Amino acid sequence: MRADNSQHIVDAARRRSECTRAKAVQALRTLDLAGEPVTFETVAKRAGVSRSWLYAQPDLREEIERLRVAHRRDPGSPVPARQRTSDASLLRRLEAANARIRRLTEENKQLHEQLARALGEQRAGTIRTSPPGQCASQR
């Protein structure tokens, strides 16, 4: 008569299932923290499991769907929330950009005035040096 080894097989299957679940949970956490899209495909690839196994796990399926929706709401921001620029930092950058625009606008205005004066002086000099009855363009 053979010994009943079925308990060893059941234990091995349980350990394999727990390991697979742990890999899937870790893949979910890693993708979410990295700001990468969380889909059944990306979790399956990262965890080394099949997509069909993920669909068959109600709690993992629910979490993947929740994270997938959360990432869709904010498609322009693949960076996790804790790594995103703060509002205060964005405000300082905006203020610096506005100050630069004001400075460049003023410089542009001054250059336009200088050019207008130079062209006016050049034209006045051209008109004075032209012989009577001859246009500056006829020279």
Side-chain angles (χ1 to χ4, degrees), residues 99-130:
R100 183 168 189 263
I101 290 170
R102 280 191 298 273
R103 192 174 57 252
L104 291 172
T105 300
E106 184 59 34
E107 182 181 341
N108 193 13
K109 181 180 174 185
Q110 290 173 358
L111 290 172
H112 275 286
E113 289 171 0
Q114 287 176 359
L115 180 60
R117 268 188 249 113
L119 289 173
E121 290 171 4
Q122 182 183 17
R123 184 172 182 203
T126 304
I127 293 173
R128 285 188 210 131
T129 58
S130 297

Coordinates of all heavy atoms in Angstrom, one line a residue, residues 99-130:
A99 N 7.7 87.9 -14.5 CA 8.7 89.0 -14.4 C 9.6 89.0 -15.6 O 10.0 90.1 -16.1 CB 9.5 88.8 -13.1
R100 N 10.0 87.9 -16.1 CA 10.9 87.8 -17.3 C 10.1 88.4 -18.5 O 10.7 89.1 -19.3 CB 11.3 86.4 -17.6 CG 12.2 86.3 -18.8 CD 12.8 84.9 -18.8 NE 13.9 84.8 -19.8 CZ 13.7 84.4 -21.1 NH1 12.5 84.0 -21.4 NH2 14.7 84.4 -21.9
I101 N 8.8 88.1 -18.7 CA 8.0 88.6 -19.8 C 8.0 90.1 -19.7 O 8.1 90.8 -20.7 CB 6.6 88.0 -19.8 CG1 6.7 86.5 -20.2 CG2 5.7 88.7 -20.7 CD1 5.4 85.7 -20.0
R102 N 7.7 90.7 -18.5 CA 7.7 92.1 -18.3 C 9.0 92.7 -18.7 O 9.1 93.8 -19.4 CB 7.3 92.5 -16.8 CG 5.9 92.4 -16.5 CD 5.5 93.0 -15.2 NE 6.2 92.3 -14.1 CZ 5.7 91.3 -13.4 NH1 4.6 90.7 -13.8 NH2 6.4 90.7 -12.4
R103 N 10.1 92.1 -18.2 CA 11.5 92.7 -18.5 C 11.7 92.6 -20.1 O 12.2 93.6 -20.6 CB 12.5 91.8 -17.8 CG 13.9 92.4 -17.8 CD 14.9 91.7 -16.9 NE 15.0 90.2 -17.3 CZ 14.5 89.2 -16.6 NH1 13.9 89.4 -15.4 NH2 14.7 88.0 -17.0
L104 N 11.4 91.5 -20.7 CA 11.6 91.4 -22.1 C 10.7 92.4 -22.9 O 11.1 92.9 -23.9 CB 11.4 90.0 -22.6 CG 12.4 89.0 -22.1 CD1 12.0 87.6 -22.5 CD2 13.8 89.3 -22.7
T105 N 9.5 92.6 -22.4 CA 8.6 93.5 -23.1 C 9.1 94.9 -23.0 O 9.1 95.7 -24.0 CB 7.2 93.5 -22.4 OG1 6.7 92.1 -22.5 CG2 6.2 94.4 -23.0
E106 N 9.6 95.3 -21.8 CA 10.2 96.6 -21.7 C 11.5 96.8 -22.6 O 11.6 97.8 -23.2 CB 10.6 96.9 -20.2 CG 11.1 98.3 -19.9 CD 10.1 99.4 -20.3 OE1 8.9 99.2 -20.2 OE2 10.6 100.5 -20.8
E107 N 12.3 95.8 -22.6 CA 13.5 95.8 -23.5 C 13.1 95.9 -25.0 O 13.7 96.7 -25.7 CB 14.3 94.6 -23.3 CG 15.6 94.5 -24.1 CD 16.4 93.2 -23.9 OE1 16.1 92.5 -22.9 OE2 17.2 92.9 -24.7
N108 N 12.0 95.2 -25.3 CA 11.5 95.3 -26.7 C 11.0 96.7 -27.0 O 11.3 97.2 -28.1 CB 10.4 94.2 -26.9 CG 10.1 94.0 -28.3 OD1 10.8 94.4 -29.2 ND2 9.0 93.3 -28.5
K109 N 10.3 97.3 -26.1 CA 9.8 98.6 -26.3 C 11.0 99.6 -26.5 O 10.9 100.5 -27.4 CB 8.9 99.0 -25.1 CG 8.3 100.4 -25.2 CD 7.5 100.7 -23.9 CE 7.0 102.1 -23.9 NZ 6.3 102.4 -22.7
Q110 N 12.0 99.5 -25.6 CA 13.1 100.4 -25.8 C 13.9 100.2 -27.1 O 14.3 101.2 -27.7 CB 14.1 100.2 -24.6 CG 13.6 100.6 -23.3 CD 14.5 100.2 -22.1 OE1 15.5 99.5 -22.3 NE2 14.1 100.6 -20.9
L111 N 14.0 99.0 -27.5 CA 14.7 98.7 -28.8 C 13.9 99.3 -30.0 O 14.4 99.8 -30.9 CB 14.9 97.2 -29.0 CG 16.0 96.6 -28.1 CD1 16.0 95.1 -28.2 CD2 17.3 97.2 -28.4
H112 N 12.5 99.2 -29.9 CA 11.7 99.8 -30.9 C 11.9 101.3 -31.0 O 11.9 101.9 -32.1 CB 10.2 99.5 -30.7 CG 9.8 98.1 -31.2 ND1 9.6 97.9 -32.6 CD2 9.5 97.0 -30.6 CE1 9.2 96.7 -32.8 NE2 9.2 96.0 -31.6
E113 N 11.9 101.9 -29.8 CA 12.1 103.4 -29.8 C 13.5 103.8 -30.3 O 13.6 104.8 -31.1 CB 11.9 103.9 -28.3 CG 10.5 103.8 -27.8 CD 10.4 104.1 -26.3 OE1 11.4 104.4 -25.7 OE2 9.2 104.1 -25.8
Q114 N 14.5 103.0 -30.0 CA 15.8 103.3 -30.5 C 15.9 103.2 -32.0 O 16.5 104.0 -32.7 CB 16.9 102.4 -29.9 CG 17.2 102.7 -28.4 CD 18.2 101.7 -27.8 OE1 18.6 100.7 -28.5 NE2 18.5 101.8 -26.6
L115 N 15.2 102.1 -32.5 CA 15.2 101.9 -33.9 C 14.4 103.0 -34.6 O 14.9 103.6 -35.7 CB 14.5 100.6 -34.2 CG 14.4 100.2 -35.7 CD1 15.8 100.1 -36.4 CD2 13.7 98.9 -35.9
A116 N 13.3 103.4 -34.1 CA 12.5 104.5 -34.7 C 13.4 105.8 -34.7 O 13.4 106.5 -35.7 CB 11.2 104.7 -33.9
R117 N 14.1 106.1 -33.6 CA 14.9 107.3 -33.6 C 16.0 107.2 -34.6 O 16.3 108.2 -35.4 CB 15.5 107.5 -32.2 CG 14.7 108.4 -31.3 CD 15.4 108.8 -30.0 NE 14.7 108.1 -29.0 CZ 15.1 107.1 -28.2 NH1 16.4 106.7 -28.3 NH2 14.4 106.5 -27.3
A118 N 16.7 106.1 -34.7 CA 17.8 105.9 -35.6 C 17.3 106.0 -37.1 O 17.9 106.7 -37.9 CB 18.5 104.5 -35.4
L119 N 16.1 105.4 -37.4 CA 15.6 105.5 -38.7 C 15.2 106.9 -39.0 O 15.3 107.4 -40.1 CB 14.4 104.6 -38.9 CG 14.8 103.1 -39.0 CD1 13.5 102.2 -39.0 CD2 15.6 102.8 -40.2
G120 N 14.6 107.6 -38.0 CA 14.2 109.0 -38.2 C 15.5 109.9 -38.5 O 15.4 110.8 -39.4
E121 N 16.5 109.7 -37.7 CA 17.8 110.4 -37.9 C 18.4 110.1 -39.3 O 18.8 111.0 -40.0 CB 18.8 110.1 -36.8 CG 18.4 110.7 -35.4 CD 19.3 110.2 -34.3 OE1 20.3 109.5 -34.6 OE2 19.0 110.6 -33.2
Q122 N 18.3 108.9 -39.7 CA 18.9 108.5 -41.0 C 18.1 109.1 -42.1 O 18.6 109.7 -43.0 CB 18.8 107.0 -41.1 CG 19.4 106.5 -42.4 CD 19.3 105.0 -42.6 OE1 18.5 104.3 -41.9 NE2 20.1 104.4 -43.5
R123 N 16.7 109.1 -41.9 CA 15.9 109.7 -43.0 C 16.1 111.2 -43.0 O 16.2 111.8 -44.1 CB 14.4 109.4 -42.6 CG 13.5 109.9 -43.7 CD 12.1 109.4 -43.5 NE 11.3 109.9 -44.5 CZ 10.0 110.0 -44.5 NH1 9.3 109.7 -43.3 NH2 9.3 110.4 -45.5
A124 N 16.2 111.9 -41.9 CA 16.4 113.3 -41.8 C 17.8 113.6 -42.5 O 17.9 114.6 -43.2 CB 16.4 113.8 -40.4
G125 N 18.8 112.8 -42.2 CA 20.1 113.0 -42.9 C 20.0 112.8 -44.4 O 20.6 113.5 -45.1
T126 N 19.2 111.8 -44.8 CA 19.1 111.5 -46.2 C 18.3 112.6 -46.9 O 18.7 113.0 -48.0 CB 18.3 110.2 -46.4 OG1 19.0 109.2 -45.7 CG2 18.2 109.8 -47.9
I127 N 17.3 113.2 -46.3 CA 16.5 114.2 -46.9 C 17.4 115.5 -47.0 O 17.4 116.2 -48.1 CB 15.2 114.5 -46.1 CG1 14.3 113.3 -46.2 CG2 14.5 115.7 -46.6 CD1 13.1 113.4 -45.4
R128 N 18.2 115.8 -46.0 CA 19.0 117.0 -46.0 C 20.1 116.9 -47.1 O 20.4 117.9 -47.7 CB 19.6 117.2 -44.7 CG 18.6 117.8 -43.7 CD 19.4 118.2 -42.4 NE 18.5 118.0 -41.3 CZ 18.7 117.3 -40.2 NH1 19.9 116.9 -40.0 NH2 17.8 117.2 -39.3
T129 N 20.6 115.7 -47.3 CA 21.7 115.6 -48.2 C 21.3 115.4 -49.7 O 22.1 115.5 -50.6 CB 22.6 114.4 -47.8 OG1 21.9 113.2 -47.8 CG2 23.3 114.6 -46.5
S130 N 20.0 115.2 -49.9 CA 19.5 115.0 -51.3 C 19.5 116.3 -52.0 O 19.0 117.3 -51.4 CB 18.2 114.4 -51.3 OG 18.2 113.1 -50.7

